[in-house]
Amino acid sequence: WCRRQPLLVRFWGFVALMSVRLIVSTLVPPTSPGFGIIIQVATPDEEKWTAMPCFLLASAVAGAWPWIFDKLISLVTQKDFWFTMGAKRFADNYPLTCWTGPAMREAFQRVYGDGGAGHHMERNGKLGASFAVLVGHIVPFMGAQTTIMQRYFLPHPLDTIVSQPFGMTEDLVSMALAEATSNPVLASWSLTVLIVFFNFARGLIFSGRWADVEKHATPDSSAVGAER
């Protein structure tokens, strides 16, 4: 059906598919990469290059559902975060996702540490929450359950939407491999771009380079005190 539709209609069909993924892949986490392959197969051969962008955009739009559900329920209960807290309780107790919460809390604690003092506590808290959500999205088979409960860490709806594509790294690789059956050249370019992007991200973002720069740029408090 999707292969016969124009791009706009096909895109909204992908949004519906990625919305269903939040339920299916929370209940059965290993099914997550399959949705990328479905989108790849559902894209016409002459428009295969649109599969990955549509996949990422559709996943971002689907990431708004937790915020929407929270707001709809708050119209009745007059309280926010009911859906988020219910999703978190489910993920913490469901056998296939019970490891997600502890993993995210550990990631938060590693960045937050003892919190620091003054504005450092707030800053470390934000960094810890952001890092916990990134870990939840990047680790394979954690993306769907992270999405439905990530307002526990980052309440703003834009955080849920923007961070959603970060959980699609393994799905993008599976889509690139699926491309090889119909368009090997496009598949090769896709894999090359993904590998280069991952290496740049590793070197520029996750290597700790910026933390070292900030550390050297910030004057030592003891030195400032001695100077005074």
Side-chain angles (χ1 to χ4, degrees), residues 4-222:
R4 299 193 301 269
Q5 304 305 316
L7 179 60
L8 186 61
V9 175
R10 190 164 64 248
F11 170 74
W12 286 107
F14 293 161
V15 170
L17 180 68
M18 297 308 292
S19 300
V20 172
R21 167 189 169 273
L22 294 179
I23 300 173
V24 175
S25 295
T26 296
L27 297 175
V28 188
T31 60
S32 181
F35 287 86
I37 296 175
I38 291 173
I39 288 178
Q40 184 67 41
V41 173
T43 303
D45 291 339
E46 62 275 11
E47 298 181 25
K48 285 294 186 185
W49 64 272
T50 65
M52 285 190 182
C54 284
F55 175 73
L56 292 175
L57 288 174
S59 67
V61 174
W65 280 117
W67 179 82
I68 293 173
F69 286 145
D70 274 333
K71 295 307 177 184
L72 288 175
I73 295 173
S74 70
L75 295 176
V76 179
T77 62
Q78 304 302 313
K79 294 182 179 180
D80 202 356
F81 297 100
W82 271 62
F83 173 81
T84 296
M85 298 308 296
K88 185 178 185 304
R89 282 193 292 270
F90 174 83
D92 286 344
N93 292 281
Y94 184 59
L96 297 183
T97 59
C98 60
W99 49 277
T100 303
M104 294 179 71
R105 286 193 295 272
E106 176 65 21
F108 171 83
Q109 195 60 44
R110 284 182 178 273
V111 174
Y112 184 70
D114 60 0
H119 70 280
H120 290 291
M121 181 179 294
E122 180 180 357
R123 174 181 173 276
N124 291 342
K126 291 179 179 179
L127 286 175
S130 300
F131 182 67
V133 170
L134 281 176
V135 168
H137 279 300
I138 292 172
V139 174
F141 310 140
M142 276 181 65
Q145 61 266 35
T146 297
T147 297
I148 64 174
M149 70 175 194
Q150 79 174 43
R151 290 194 75 219
Y152 180 83
F153 293 91
L154 298 175
H156 199 283
L158 284 180
D159 292 322
T160 313
I161 295 170
V162 172
S163 63
Q164 178 71 8
F166 282 95
M168 304 301 166
T169 50
E170 76 273 15
D171 304 82
L172 291 176
V173 173
S174 66
M175 289 179 70
L177 294 175
E179 277 180 357
T181 59
S182 59
N183 193 333
V185 175
L186 180 60
S188 177
W189 274 104
S190 300
L191 279 174
T192 300
V193 170
L194 287 173
I195 292 171
V196 170
F197 171 76
F198 292 155
N199 277 294
F200 269 112
R202 173 67 180 85
L204 297 178
I205 302 174
F206 299 108
S207 64
R209 175 174 177 267
W210 300 113
D212 292 339
V213 171
E214 186 180 58
K215 180 179 178 181
H216 290 302
T218 304
D220 183 71
S221 59
S222 61

